[in-house]
Amino acid sequence: MEATAVSLARSVLDGVLSRAGSAVADEAALLLGVRREVDFIRDELEMMRSFLKVAAANPDADDTVRTWVKQVRDLAYDVEDCLLDFALFADTSSSSWLRPRRLAERHRVAARIRELRAMVEELNQRFQRYHVVADHPRVLLPRGGGSDDPQLADQDAGYSAELAFQESDIIGRAREKAEVTALVLSGAGAGALGVVSVWGMGGMGKSSLVRMVHNDPVLLDAFDCGAWVTVPHPLDSADEFVRRLRRHLGVAKEQPDVHAYLREKRYVIIVDDLHSKEEWEHIWPVLHADAGQGSRVVVTTRREDVARHCAGHVREEHGHVYELRPLGREESKDLFCQKVYKSTEYTLEKEMEDQASPILKRCRGLPLAISTIGGLLANRPKTSIEWMKLDEHLGAELESSDLRNITKVIVSSYDGLPYYLKSIFLYLSIFPENHEIRCTRLLRRWMAEGYIAKNRDMPVEEVGQRFYNELINRSMIQPSKKRISPSVSVDRCRVHSMVLQIILSKSIEENQLFLVKKHCNEVPQSKIRHLVVSRWKRRDEKLESINFSYIRSLTVFGDCPASLISPKLRLLRVMDLEDSLNLKNEDLRHVGELHHLRYLCLRGTDISKLPSLQNLRYLETLDIQDTKVTQLPDGIAKLEKLRYLLAGINFSKELLHKVEQPETDNRKASLLGNMVSCLYCNGGDFCGISSLDRFSVRAPEGVEKLRDLHMLGAINVGHGNGVVGKLKKLTNLRRLGVSGIIDEEGQDLCKSIEKLNRLQRLEVRSNSLQFLVESDFSAPKHLLSLRLYGDLVKLPKWIGSLNDLAKLKLLGTQLKQGEIMLLGKLRNLASLGLWENSYIGNSLNFGAGTFPKIKFLDIDGLKKIEKVTIEYGAMLELEQLWVKDCKELLDSEEGLSGVPHLPNLNELLVKKCGEKEELMEILQTQVSEHSKRPKFLIGKSIVTTSPKRRRTQ
């Protein structure tokens, strides 16, 4: 990962040059009288960026080059810091520069610019003094160029880095092997050429699995010839691939055309470790030689988009995409015991089991990690203290030669990223192990840090979303759940524990990140850019030794030290205190002085009052959702760059269930207690949700001036001050949440919503939603998500026109069967939540042909429901069916019928529905006989559906 410094330097330089070339920078340079200095710095930095592009192509640069690259990066940071001060002063009127205090600041900034010019000149002289290029001409060689040695090119011997453990060590993949073999053999011997793409994270064992398939005697008998070719990188043409293919096929040199040779055969060719679509475009013309004999090409890749691209080159029935997922808990344990004790039947003692569990948890089903760590422990004393030491010091162990196979595979994935993805991926080291990272949180932080720039006419949010999706496609981050619709992003993701350990050490090494933990002893002496406080024990004196003046992001997990937030954080862009503990109102008293702040998140804290924020003119995100704040401070309307204003209680079913659980966080329980008592009053009878108004924040005065707002909610607009009618001026809104609508204001709200053509997510909370039915208006045609809370009874006509709607959640709407049938006609609806009192009938029927695209159905709290019926032909793409808190369900087949009619079901959950022994037995039988053998969950338990499936959960 030596390219890390280069990638970081290039990312910083991109941002610096963008700012240095802006009109704001030009204006500030004129005001300060340093125009020549700024032009000089800009020109020099452009040359440095050009050099870095060359350096990035050479992974073997020596220490001289690497040292110079790091110095370029650090200087770029210093220049960017100064440019931030540029912009801050340029935002004020030129007349204010004549004030004595402003004059002093003006001289300080100008002096700093001249100092930076001198530093740039010195760095340039150092570059020449040590002959970084002259004495190191190989720096200028493109990566992979200059070698014609066939032995070097063939040193892979047909194996990729993923084949780091023996085939005999592959445990728990019998089902996967059978499934992939079946895909390869389907149609073989007749018909057209087929492609099977196997994809998954690096270290998942794709190559090992395909090697087992490739060596299967049944498969060998089905084809005339075969070859295994590991793709060389970079692959700029087909020549090297053809040479390797020729050698593995045993094609004589006198037969020049491999394509013609293959045309006469029924072949199976493995294309191992494919990195990109571009590589496939070089390879495919060589392999596309089948003469109707049913040949097969099997591809392994770490990227989902590449896998789908390859399979898309043949007819749909001959193209298959197979995702190789992590091992289950039992398989992981079997593989671990096989490596440590040479037996899958070994029974661990209780003490050893306790130490093995956290190790396996960190491996999270990654076969390469389990196999390598197991092999290491096989050669060490088999004691609990030895295993405990490895778990505690895993980061250091990964840097040793014993675990180099894990590091090698992960580093190769990292090195394959384009430079603009390396910096944002490294940024994920801020979040702790096993932490589920909210997509929106990540994107807004990336934006605030300057990692994402607008691409021509594409909004910065869309650019960031593409980067996020690309990291998922490349298996660098793992989605917490499968995407339900192409139009809906994956809500949360996480970084694999092994990957996190490696990028964490790299971030710390590059002086980008410093972690303050309860066991922390050392304090960094160098400049740090990102500070993370995790599980700190409130010994604030340790924090006083840290230099806060260069910190750009502050993130707290757990207790927030009282003295942490101070004016010393003058360059801070991101303050993320989400879910931090013991945060008090007075701890925020200096926040308004942090002029460069772009992201302020207090979500899930005990804060009830905010200080003045009107001087935070660069603030883009203000997230106070799930706090006790009910009123925003004066001056919010002056924050013209504000894009995301998130407030009030996120009234979701998930929070309501947290309140019901005994382990509920007391803080949120007290906050939501009144809400729950309202919803569950009188033994479950619906009593309205008008009291929800107090759980939203009053709309700020002048909200219509915030023209850049993309998200606003949930705000209380029911104050008769005309704010409802002013919402139509916020034409950039993508998400809106409102509550407190008074009857006469309902029509005004509908008229405002009608003008918001870019709106994608709408949430309306009110005691009565009748105005939505009575109003004749056109809803935004691109609406993706709709949440309705309140008495509705009948669906508005405009809902039928929402052809793009993917997610719908209903609470308290009191709909009847006829309305459910209307919802079933929404052609792109992928997720439906029918929650407390959203439906009032005794039976709920999903008719044939309805809900054609739905993948997730969540029925929760329908207290009167006795029957849920899914007819044959309904919900054919449904993958998850949840039925919770429906205690009146009949304890018979009629209680929940139609499960066998759901061909794509992979999860059935029945929870808190009372004692239903007969129904549970029927469902268990149906699930066991289902072709997909879905998980069957009763509460937190997974019911055994077959001996095989039990081990995959």
Side-chain angles (χ1 to χ4, degrees), residues 389-459:
K389 285 179 181 178
L390 181 132
D391 181 50
E392 290 179 349
H393 307 299
L394 183 60
E397 292 279 7
L398 285 169
E399 297 177 4
S400 69
S401 59
D402 294 316
L403 300 184
R404 62 180 178 273
N405 283 333
I406 302 176
T407 305
K408 181 179 178 181
V409 169
I410 292 172
V411 167
S412 67
S413 295
Y414 175 86
D415 287 343
L417 294 175
Y419 84 93
Y420 58 85
L421 287 183
K422 285 180 179 176
S423 56
I424 65 172
F425 178 64
L426 212 61
Y427 192 75
L428 292 167
S429 59
I430 285 173
F431 297 92
E433 191 172 333
N434 296 320
H435 186 84
E436 285 198 340
I437 310 168
R438 205 173 59 254
C439 171
T440 50
R441 181 183 191 181
L442 197 55
L443 293 184
R444 291 166 199 161
R445 288 190 58 147
W446 283 344
M447 289 165 53
E449 296 276 10
Y451 288 137
I452 304 173
K454 184 178 180 181
N455 185 5
R456 297 183 182 178
D457 295 329
M458 186 181 293

Side-chain angles (χ1 to χ4, degrees), residues 378-389:
N379 298 317
R380 292 187 180 182
K382 296 176 179 61
T383 62
S384 61
I385 191 169
E386 191 70 27
W387 290 13
M388 181 179 67
K389 285 179 181 178

